[in-house]
Amino acid sequence: ATGLRLDPSGGDIDVLYVRPSRLHDISYALEASADLRSWAEIGQAVVIPNGDGTETVRYSALQHTSPLTPQTGFVRLRVDLASPAASANTIPVGWLRTTMAPGRQTHGVSLPNPPVFVGRISGISPDTLSFSHGSPSISMLAGEPYSLEVAAGPRAGHRIDIDHSGTNGNQVALDFASPHSTLGASYGDLVGVPVMIRKHRTIAECYPPQLFRGSADPATADQLQLHTGERFRSLFLLDAGSFSQWTDVTDPEIADLGDSVLPPGAGLFVNNRGAPIDLLQFGEVRFNDFVQPLRAGVNLVAEPFPMPSSPSSRGVLRQHGFNGGLDPAAADQLQFWQPDRVPSQDGFRTL
């Protein structure tokens, strides 16, 4: 069977997958969870023959099926073998819906794109990885941004951007110079390690222009504000009548930044100048570790996982390199934007 695919295009949230027809010793069940801990079998599916020995299975309007809600839901496929008895689950996929109230709120993407390739590294050269099974290059669209993510081992959670110009067949070229890469050129211990290749999320993919309020004037348009480590970079939704696009407020060339990569773990401010906006994100649940790069100074970060975490569960502790002390001015700090919880409040809560 293929992996689960979420389809919100019709207004409801459907999930579908393709499986072989007429396999009598294998059964399939869709399981749902609201917290990624407790799972329950759900739903009645519509099965459509594809005429090629496979069939498409679709579950409709899952957001109205308990324990799922329009705001949050996770599903996985359980596959059972009758003899010898065995069972396996797919990695969950899910959705998160956030209502962006008028004003400024923080936001981030916690559900990455499902991988287009999964495999184990069989060989390494200075800037290239090779795989003995499969051809990663045929799974990637030319010109689209992709990243290789380490799934296990001491380097688990690290990511390296992919260089299309040197990628061919079972060879994948790596771009260590990319600002989104978290691993340097010393990576010889990755032979035999499982990795996955994911397409990066982009600005327009996560913040569709049609949902936001545009204008020719940045002062009246909705804005996205990202932190570069030194300052905020503000994008406004330029509405030129015949088109709309995300553009840097300081760019006289008004370049379209919709295809710009939104790095994993990056947070931003959404400055909504109009009515409330429902932002729906959907994708795969990340089950491996995640490396969160932090610069000296200010970092605006997002949850890499779709469930709430605490500072200790994120490793924000002295034994992991954070500076503590009795003087708040000298210690590392965590700052939480209060309007995310109570829109009528303002400013940061600082720990």
Side-chain angles (χ1 to χ4, degrees):
T2 63
L4 293 177
R5 182 168 67 87
L6 289 171
D7 178 14
S9 60
D12 288 321
I13 299 175
D14 296 356
V15 67
L16 60 152
Y17 67 95
V18 178
R19 68 187 184 192
S21 305
R22 299 182 296 276
L23 291 182
H24 303 295
D25 57 344
I26 294 179
S27 60
Y28 301 84
L30 190 69
E31 297 182 329
S33 175
D35 58 9
L36 294 172
R37 295 187 180 91
S38 301
W39 294 89
E41 186 174 334
I42 63 164
Q44 295 293 321
V46 174
V47 180
I48 303 172
N50 295 324
D52 58 358
T54 67
E55 55 194 18
T56 298
V57 183
R58 178 182 287 270
Y59 295 81
S60 298
L62 290 182
Q63 76 274 20
H64 301 307
T65 303
S66 180
L68 310 175
T69 70
Q71 285 69 43
T72 307
F74 307 101
V75 292
R76 69 184 186 186
L77 186 65
R78 191 185 77 238
V79 184
D80 297 315
L81 177 65
S83 180
S87 182
N89 299 311
T90 63
I91 293 177
V93 296
W95 66 88
L96 298 171
R97 188 187 304 271
T98 305
T99 299
M100 310 305 295
R104 296 177 74 209
Q105 287 182 258
T106 64
H107 192 259
V109 176
S110 304
L111 294 167
N113 280 315
V116 299
F117 177 82
V118 178
R120 290 182 180 270
I121 297 170
S122 60
I124 292 176
S125 64
D127 295 309
T128 307
L129 303 176
S130 60
F131 297 85
S132 57
H133 301 286
S135 178
S137 63
I138 66 174
S139 302
M140 293 183 280
L141 300 174
E144 296 289 345
Y146 291 87
S147 177
L148 180 141
E149 186 166 344
V150 182
R155 309 279 194 174
H158 274 287
R159 300 169 301 283
I160 314 169
D161 273 8
I162 290 174
D163 178 2
H164 279 284
S165 65
T167 296
N168 185 46
N170 70 336
Q171 304 283 325
V172 174
L174 305 176
D175 181 7
F176 292 105
S178 168
H180 316 311
S181 296
T182 64
L183 190 60
S186 176
Y187 61 100
D189 54 355
L190 290 182
V191 172
V193 170
V195 297
M196 62 193 78
I197 295 175
R198 301 185 192 271
K199 183 180 177 294
H200 271 301
R201 297 289 194 186
T202 62
I203 293 290
E205 176 188 4
C206 300
Y207 304 97
Q210 64 269 23
L211 297 182
F212 291 84
R213 178 190 181 97
S215 171
D217 180 1
T220 58
D222 288 347
Q223 293 191 1
L224 305 177
Q225 297 172 319
L226 302 90
H227 205 279
T228 66
E230 299 177 352
R231 63 177 181 84
F232 277 103
R233 183 188 188 193
S234 296
L235 314 183
F236 78 103
L237 186 64
L238 170 64
D239 185 352
S242 59
F243 65 92
S244 60
Q245 64 184 39
W246 291 110
T247 297
D248 192 309
V249 297
T250 65
D251 181 13
E253 303 297 327
I254 59 171
D256 183 0
L257 299 180
D259 289 335
S260 299
V261 167
L262 184 65
L268 50 75
F269 277 100
V270 176
N271 190 355
N272 174 16
R273 303 183 191 275
I277 299 169
D278 274 346
L279 283 180
L280 176 67
Q281 59 172 291
F282 56 94
E284 185 176 85
V285 177
R286 178 182 277 109
F287 263 70
N288 53 273
D289 290 340
F290 181 84
V291 172
Q292 176 74 68
L294 297 174
R295 314 176 191 90
V298 175
N299 294 269
L300 186 54
V301 301
E303 286 279 8
F305 307 103
M307 301 304 295
S309 64
S310 66
S312 59
S313 69
R314 291 292 302 271
V316 186
L317 302 168
R318 290 189 66 183
Q319 58 263 40
H320 295 151
F322 289 86
N323 293 318
L326 298 177
D327 180 6
D332 289 342
Q333 296 184 351
L334 297 176
Q335 296 180 312
F336 299 89
W337 185 244
Q338 294 190 106
D340 289 345
R341 300 186 64 182
V342 182
S344 60
Q345 295 185 352
D346 194 17
F348 290 97
R349 180 192 179 202
T350 301
L351 306 183

